[in-house]
Each structure stands twice: as C-alpha cells, then as structure tokens.
Amino acid sequence: MGKNVLLGVCGGIACYKAVEVASRLRKKGVDVTVIMTKSATQFVTPLTFQEITGNPVSVDMWDKVQHWDVAHISLARKADFALIVPATANILGKLAAGIADDMLSTTLLAVTKAIYLAPSMNTNMYLNPIVQRNLKLLSSLPNYHIIKPASGHLACGVEGVGRLPEPAEIVEQLEKDQLAEESLAGKTVLVTAGGTREAIDPVRYIGNRSSGKMGYAIAAEAVRRGARTILVSGPVALAAPAGAEVSKIETAREMKELSERFFPQADITIMAAAVADYRVENPAPLKIKKEQEALLVHLVKNPDILAGLGKIKKEGQVLVGFAAETHDLLAFARQKLVKKNLDMIVANDVGRKDAGFNVDTNAANLISKDGKIEEIPLMSKSEMAKVILRRAEALLSK
Ligand code: PMT
C-alpha cells in the first residue's frame, strides 16, 4: 500500500497492544516508524518495535540518528498519518497545550496530516474534567481523531471506561479512514462552502453565520480520497484545503455562475454553502448616511442554485444538498430533497449550540432518495465529511 505511519507509543500498561498494532499494520504493507516516550520503554523495549517494523525507533531528541535530517521534522513530514497507542493523559495534555518537550510531542506538533489518538488509562483519570476538556479541544481540531476507549476490566483492578480497544479494531478504523485506496481517484467532486454576501451599499452587506468549516472539511476529505476537488467558497477565514482548486465568490449569483460552470464536470456535487435567499434589489452606490430614523431595504429573491443543478443533473451524477433547519427538520429536509431533485440531503439541526453554523462539530440526519434516514451523532466536521463522502461514493457506484 506504500503508506507511512508514525506510531507514537506512550507509557501505559496497554503498550503491549501497540506491538500488535505495529505488527498488523506491517502485515498490511504499511511502513511503520515508531517514536516511544521514555516511560513507554519501561513497559516494552525499543528493540521489540525495531524488529517488528524493520525501522529504527526514536526515543531521545538528542540521539544521533545518521540518516534523518532534522529528525523530528523529517519524521513528521514522512508520515501519511500518525497514531498514538496508548495515548496517555500526559500526551493529551501536552498536545492540547502545545507543549513540545520530548521526541514524540515535538514531532506531533509538526505533523500536518491526520493524528489518531487512542486514549487508555484508569477510569477516574479518563473521566477527569481536565482530561475530558483536553479531548474535547483536540477532537474539535480538523486533523485530530479520537479512537474511543472501551469499557471493561482495567489493569488497575477497576471496571470502567479507559481500556484500549483491541488492536484489530484500531487497525480496522484506520483501514476505513486512511489505508483504503484512493476511492475517488479519477473522479471530480464539486463542493460549495461558506456564506454569500449581498451588498446593501459599498460597506454593508447581508450575510449569515456560515464559517465554511463544514464545506472545507468535505473538500479536504475529497482530496484525501484522490478526487479532483473544486471548491467554490464564500468569504471565510479558513486556509484553502491543500490540493483543492478554490474559487472565491461573494454573492449568490457569483456562486451560481461558478457552480453551473463546474457542475457538468462533477461526478459528485455537495452544496454545503449557506446561500442568501434574498438580495438587495438596488444596492446604494455610495455609503448610506444615517440621516433617516428608519431605513427600508427592498429585497428580491435569489436564484436557487441547487434546484437549478437538480434540473440539469445527468444520469450518473450524484447531487447532495444540505438543509439548515431550526424546526421540523426531517419534514423540511425531505421536501427539499424532492423539490431540488437530490440524491441525498444532510439535514442539519442548526438550532443546537454544538452543531451547524460556526462550530467545529456537527450532528445530522442523512436522508437518501429512497427515503432511508441515517442518524449521524455529534462528531467533528472532518469526521462528518468522511461519513457524507462515504455515502455519496456508495450512491455513485450504484
Ligand atoms: O459553514 P459552517 O459554519 O461549517 O456551517 C455549516 C452549515 C450549517 C452552513 C452547513 O452545514 C449547512 O447546513 N449548509 C446549508 C445552509 C443552507 O443554506 O441551507 P438551506 O436549507 O437554506 O438550503 C438548502 C440547500 O439549498 C443547501 O444545500 C443550500 O446550499 C442550497 N441553496 C439554498 C438557497 C439558494 N438560493 N441556493 C441554494 O443552492
């Protein structure tokens, strides 16, 4: 498969399971490079990992390693993704605080790809509000993924949450997310993201609360799956996903023009943008002065971009919309699915504080044309992007 994985091993009793994780990854043809913390070497020797992976194991920042340039930077650069097994409370705390004081934490801070953390520790430690806060913070970052610990009998003698999942389960999750072939290679994915802006005068506009996070996460995931990815984006404060072709627009009509231009090339189109339904009919050419007690602004309806695409959709194209609703979520979403001729709609309950606009997490229901509803629980927007693309991909291959 030719993937490179950086396996970080921290000092916990579950260290021995990291040996099996390394072995299973090797058997799948993955090149595994291990960094151990000093405490981890008290449980398992570096030699064990060296023998299993066939690669030198790093522990000390100051070791003389001949064949790497700046060791921690080159290890970070080489990795297609990183996996920390077990992730102790200590490494979670360091990552959440941005502390880099040993080989593992220093390297992880330089990793820009996905980082999977498999926490394992005593139940009380795991449930400690500080640890939970750190986990919440990390899981809200786009490239961090938490592999949830299992419950059961722990080495410290208690029953509860904090047990490392079985190595086979950990590798299975990675297989789905990272080791799968580039499932969208040769395909084109068109994504819209962010909110549009409609001018009132040269300095004021009508806008909405969309941050673009959801659409950008979908575009990043499409790139990771090997698709040519076209992103049509409203004004947002986000870095462009590496590898995506980004076109910036301001108004709904500009978004319409670009979406229609790219749509015929797209195998999958996902409209995550929050498009203004109305625009100011005659924006003032000069700044409006505040002389009047009241100001009337006449709004006219914007074109519905998605409905337009639904009309020109060809056989074999998959069209996915979002529905942002504060009430009667499923009923309104179903209506939009039918009316706009969609293959799937992501029904977003934007009345929740932790989902929808301008937050790092989302929760939704995926409704497909055949009426099937899948409830997607609260998760990071990058996790949700994976789920949405997995479903869209399945629709494409139907
Ligand atoms: O950007 P974030 O901060 O991460 O927030 C994510 C999100 C809440 C913006 C996103 O997940 C979402 O729900 N996007 C759709 C927002 C919206 O405009 O929903 P709607 O129910 O009004 O529109 C339904 C669908 O029609 C959407 O796919 C929308 O892009 C599309 N539409 C709407 C109006 C219009 N004139 N043209 C359109 O194409």
Side-chain angles (χ1 to χ4, degrees):
M1 219 154 295
K3 292 262 180 170
N4 289 293
V5 176
L6 175 65
L7 176 61
V9 183
C10 303
I13 189 68
C15 255
Y16 72 97
K17 288 192 182 172
V19 177
E20 193 185 333
V21 170
S23 161
R24 282 178 178 268
L25 288 170
R26 276 302 294 148
K27 285 184 190 141
K28 293 195 178 289
V30 177
D31 188 22
V32 183
T33 305
V34 175
I35 302 180
M36 300 177 77
T37 62
K38 275 217 177 78
S39 329
T41 63
Q42 298 290 317
F43 293 91
V44 181
T45 68
L47 189 62
T48 310
F49 285 107
Q50 190 173 307
E51 288 302 310
I52 283 175
T53 63
N55 283 323
V57 173
S58 311
V59 179
D60 193 336
M61 277 288 280
W62 314 111
D63 272 352
K64 284 220 160 29
V65 184
Q66 313 303 341
H67 50 284
W68 289 314
D69 20 34
V70 181
H72 67 104
I73 301 295
S74 79
L75 285 176
R77 202 180 290 139
K78 185 176 135 189
D80 289 303
F81 66 94
L83 165 69
I84 315 303
V85 178
T88 54
N90 190 41
I91 193 77
L92 297 177
K94 282 194 209 176
L95 288 173
I99 293 172
D101 66 349
D102 64 1
M103 186 66 175
L104 181 60
S105 50
T106 308
T107 306
L108 287 174
L109 278 197
V111 171
T112 54
K113 312 270 181 58
I115 300 178
Y116 288 80
L117 301 167
S120 168
M121 63 200 77
N122 162 271
T123 303
N124 290 340
M125 286 174 79
Y126 179 72
L127 295 177
N128 183 302
I130 298 168
V131 173
Q132 287 300 313
R133 181 201 59 191
N134 291 339
L135 277 167
K136 193 167 170 211
L137 187 145
L138 291 168
S139 65
S140 74
L141 302 175
N143 61 326
Y144 279 87
H145 306 273
I146 311 295
I147 299 175
K148 286 218 168 82
S151 293
H153 186 76
L154 302 179
C156 51
V158 298
E159 292 281 330
V161 65
R163 214 167 61 112
L164 193 76
E166 290 310 311
E169 289 167 36
I170 294 175
V171 174
E172 195 185 327
Q173 168 154 358
L174 296 173
E175 205 153 15
K176 275 195 219 139
D177 286 2
Q178 295 288 339
L179 302 177
E181 292 301 326
E182 291 189 334
S183 49
L184 285 173
K187 303 289 182 200
T188 298
V189 175
L190 168 63
V191 184
T192 64
T196 58
R197 286 181 184 173
E198 307 297 336
I200 297 172
D201 68 11
V203 296
R204 304 176 179 98
Y205 60 84
I206 297 175
N208 61 63
R209 298 177 195 280
S210 171
S211 64
K213 286 179 180 174
M214 189 65 247
Y216 274 55
I218 295 170
E221 180 60 18
V223 170
R224 205 189 59 70
R225 287 171 182 249
R228 174 186 171 213
T229 305
I230 304 167
L231 175 60
V232 179
S233 168
V236 296
L238 299 172
E245 299 165 29
V246 185
S247 299
K248 286 282 187 93
I249 54 85
E250 281 233 340
T251 67
R253 285 185 294 174
E254 287 164 4
M255 180 169 273
K256 176 179 185 289
E257 192 195 324
L258 285 186
S259 304
E260 286 176 355
R261 188 186 305 166
F262 293 123
F263 183 65
Q265 306 164 30
D267 297 283
I268 297 174
T269 298
I270 305 180
M271 284 282 300
V275 186
D277 289 319
Y278 293 89
R279 68 175 183 279
V280 179
E281 187 174 29
N282 294 308
L286 299 174
K287 187 180 171 195
I288 299 170
K289 305 308 275 177
K290 55 169 193 234
E291 280 147 8
Q292 313 156 41
E293 274 313 303
L295 179 68
L296 282 180
V297 179
H298 190 247
L299 302 178
V300 291
K301 210 162 190 187
N302 262 332
D304 191 315
I305 306 169
L306 187 57
L309 299 181
K311 283 194 185 122
I312 55 169
K313 184 174 73 166
K314 295 244 163 50
E315 179 100 19
Q317 282 189 299
V318 171
L319 185 56
V320 180
F322 271 72
E325 308 291 352
T326 49
H327 58 287
D328 295 328
L329 179 65
L330 295 181
F332 284 135
R334 265 198 219 98
Q335 278 172 20
K336 285 179 183 169
L337 175 87
V338 175
K339 203 167 148 207
K340 302 190 188 201
N341 189 23
L342 309 179
D343 300 285
M344 184 169 84
I345 193 153
V346 184
N348 233 177
D349 182 354
V350 293
R352 284 175 67 147
K353 279 217 162 64
D354 50 4
F357 290 93
N358 204 14
V359 285
D360 295 311
T361 48
N362 210 356
N365 283 276
L366 298 190
I367 312 178
S368 44
K369 218 155 106 177
D370 57 13
K372 256 194 217 142
I373 299 179
E374 186 184 349
E375 195 180 333
I376 313 297
L378 191 72
M379 55 179 69
S380 69
K381 284 185 173 164
S382 27
E383 297 288 347
M384 176 135 322
K386 282 186 204 302
V387 178
I388 293 169
L389 272 170
R390 223 178 276 145
R391 299 289 173 275
E393 229 178 89
L395 291 171
L396 190 64
S397 59
K398 258 192 185 167

